Amino acid sequence: MNSQKKRIPKPSYLIGWLPGDGIGPEVCNATRVVLDAVGFKAEYIHGDIGWEFWKSEGNALPERTIDILKYSDSALFGAITSKPAQVAEEELFPDIKERGFVYRSPIVHMRQLFDLYVCLRPCKSYIGNSANYREGIDLTVFRENTEDLYAGVEFSYVPNELARVLTELSKNFAPFKNLSGDEYAISCKINTKKGSERIVRAAFEYALAHNRKKVTVVHKANVVRATDGLFLDSARVVAKEYQGIAFDEANVDAICMWLLKNPFNYDVLVAPNLYGDIISDLCAQMVGGLGFGCSGNIGENFAVFEPTHGSAPKYAGMNKVNPLATILAAKMMLEWLGEIEKAMAIENAVARVIREGRVRTYDMGGTATTIEMASAVVEAFF
Ligand code: NAI
Ligand code: MG
């Protein structure tokens, strides 16, 4: 898997720079201060992304942004606000049906377009962080990033031909029998063998490379038998190739309870897209909250790094939120590019700032601003 592939550092890089909206631009600006100070040489190319561009041009991930990503070495993404569910697409675009566009999450779109099938989310409690749930937590979540309920095959209005086939095939079980197409909706959960095997293999390869002891597959195969059954079976097949690493299985509901009860029983977790999304926020909260959750969307030849959090609109423009999640995402990006020393320098500086506890943003019980936190990380290099 690519997160382990050795890359040769380059004298300079082209980085797609996607701050997005809400708190995205603030945390990205703060991260740039750190990237410059660590001596990372790059040209940053700004890309438009988000709801604002959907409103103005009917595309939240415009073609010009996709082009930038195609020639970048990797990208850093801040956050975007999703389309509010109550805004009807027809209100903005009366001709929407003829033009054939409906809102699609640009992040999900980007992950699928570039086949960024690994969502890697390390969750580590840094020593001295008063926001830690427990000291000594070091979990890594592998979330499948292109399939499952995020496959994008959805029907807010169910077409007659689909209703007919489903009613026929599901016999008496269909809860939608006799309902008209606008009385129910369908989101398809689609999981493939290839998609399931490659994410589980990525988790095991990571475990091997990082001397991890155990991989736990997260599922709900006792109920969601077809798709989660396939994911679980695929995991079992792949696990046999890695005899030196323990393999464990857990239901998604149960693991939310077990993770809180004893996080030290777990090491590397691998899950289909939706469960991975959910457990990674849970794991982020155990290591101080979303201000510490960093994330890499990784494919074979391209990767986009981002904080796990969203655009937190209520804090936008206040220079108040914690930039460490994005700074740590940038650290993951440097690691992926092969800039190991610079990545380590960022990691050590972040650990030092947290350990010393003098500069703390509001979520850590302090009053430091976003940019003051970035400056503290820079000072900790020296
Ligand atoms: P959120 O992650 O934006 O914020 C939830 C809460 O977490 C905030 O109110 C704040 O208390 C805390 N938080 C988040 N980032 C923080 C930081 N850097 N420092 C300190 N505290 C932080 O989730 P929410 O409010 O559910 O979603 C807001 C918008 O973001 C929605 O439109 C949602 O769809 C979108 N979103 C976008 C994502 C992305 O761009 N990748 C991911 C998740 C949500
Ligand atoms: Mg999420």
Side-chain angles (χ1 to χ4, degrees):
M1 196 273 291
N2 215 28
S3 66
Q4 272 82 242
K5 196 149 101 187
K6 291 260 178 306
R7 291 198 145 67
I8 317 247
K10 290 177 164 186
S12 178
Y13 298 88
L14 282 177
I15 302 296
W17 192 253
L18 314 174
D21 57 61
I23 58 167
E26 291 158 60
V27 292
C28 284
N29 288 342
T31 300
R32 261 291 267 291
V33 172
V34 173
L35 284 169
D36 291 346
V38 82
F40 180 63
K41 298 270 177 292
E43 188 185 336
Y44 296 93
I45 307 154
H46 178 98
D48 295 333
I49 187 167
W51 162 233
E52 191 190 322
F53 300 95
W54 197 87
K55 272 194 299 187
S56 58
E57 52 194 275
N59 191 352
L61 184 68
E63 282 301 322
R64 58 185 179 280
T65 304
I66 295 172
D67 287 343
I68 290 169
L69 298 178
K70 279 184 186 157
Y71 65 77
S72 299
D73 291 299
S74 66
L76 196 82
F77 166 58
I80 52 139
T81 308
S82 307
K83 178 180 99 68
Q86 66 274 23
V87 174
E89 290 166 311
E90 293 80 356
E91 271 173 34
L92 288 166
F93 302 106
D95 59 344
I96 193 161
K97 288 223 168 88
E98 299 88 84
R99 289 170 70 178
F101 54 60
V102 285
Y103 182 80
R104 189 172 178 202
S105 158
I107 315 162
V108 174
H109 186 184
M110 191 161 60
R111 288 168 180 158
Q112 288 173 340
L113 197 65
F114 291 94
D115 202 20
L116 308 176
Y117 64 93
V118 171
C119 185
L120 170 58
R121 293 181 158 173
C123 298
K124 177 166 143 183
S125 53
Y126 286 91
I127 294 170
N129 185 357
S130 60
N132 281 338
Y133 173 66
R134 301 263 176 89
E135 294 287 336
I137 295 175
D138 190 1
L139 296 161
T140 307
V141 178
F142 275 77
R143 163 188 174 191
E144 198 290 319
N145 220 13
T146 56
E147 312 191 327
D148 200 54
L149 265 172
Y150 294 59
V153 184
E154 301 196 86
F155 305 90
S156 322
Y157 180 87
V158 183
N160 286 341
E161 55 273 42
L162 179 59
R164 201 168 43 246
V165 172
L166 287 177
T167 310
E168 227 171 270
L169 292 179
S170 54
K171 307 261 169 4
N172 294 323
F173 295 114
F176 48 84
K177 233 164 59 177
N178 305 324
L179 296 182
S180 68
D182 55 2
E183 286 180 295
Y184 65 109
I186 296 180
S187 297
C188 297
K189 178 167 156 80
I190 302 176
N191 301 74
T192 67
K193 260 190 195 171
K194 178 186 164 199
S196 306
E197 284 181 6
R198 67 183 181 172
I199 189 67
V200 177
R201 189 164 282 112
F204 273 100
E205 286 295 318
Y206 177 93
L208 260 188
H210 294 82
N211 200 22
R212 299 296 195 130
K213 305 287 177 250
K214 181 160 95 172
V215 173
T216 303
V217 61
V218 179
H219 65 89
K220 186 74 185 176
N222 53 333
V223 178
V224 191
R225 305 195 83 90
T227 45
D228 284 7
L230 179 144
F231 194 85
L232 180 58
D233 285 347
S234 305
R236 287 173 177 163
V237 168
V238 173
K240 288 205 175 76
E241 298 168 22
Y242 297 88
Q243 293 296 336
I245 297 166
F247 174 64
D248 185 20
E249 306 172 0
N251 276 310
V252 62
D253 45 352
I255 205 170
C256 290
M257 180 267 294
W258 288 116
L259 273 169
L260 286 181
K261 195 164 159 63
N262 191 356
F264 307 107
N265 273 350
Y266 300 96
D267 191 350
V268 176
L269 304 164
V270 60
N273 210 334
L274 177 64
Y275 309 150
D277 196 1
I278 294 169
I279 60 168
S280 49
D281 275 27
L282 173 63
C283 292
Q285 190 56 42
M286 290 200 289
V287 298
L290 287 175
F292 298 86
C294 52
S295 175
N297 303 284
I298 304 171
E300 291 303 329
N301 296 304
F302 187 61
V304 179
F305 297 85
E306 57 168 321
T308 300
H309 63 71
S311 64
K314 70 177 179 200
Y315 293 117
M318 292 170 73
N319 191 26
K320 180 174 173 169
V321 294
N322 192 344
L324 289 180
T326 317
I327 291 170
L328 288 169
K331 173 238 147 185
M332 290 175 75
M333 177 173 84
L334 298 197
E335 226 165 32
W336 183 80
L337 289 167
E339 294 285 348
I340 307 300
E341 273 177 31
K342 293 185 176 74
M344 285 305 297
I346 295 180
E347 161 94 25
N348 292 338
V350 167
R352 188 171 154 193
V353 170
I354 297 173
R355 198 173 58 242
E356 291 179 352
R358 275 181 288 114
V359 179
R360 287 172 289 126
T361 43
Y362 85 93
D363 54 319
M364 301 164 77
T367 54
T369 63
T370 306
I371 210 72
E372 281 167 356
M373 178 53 98
S375 305
V377 173
V378 169
E379 277 163 31
F381 287 147
F382 308 106

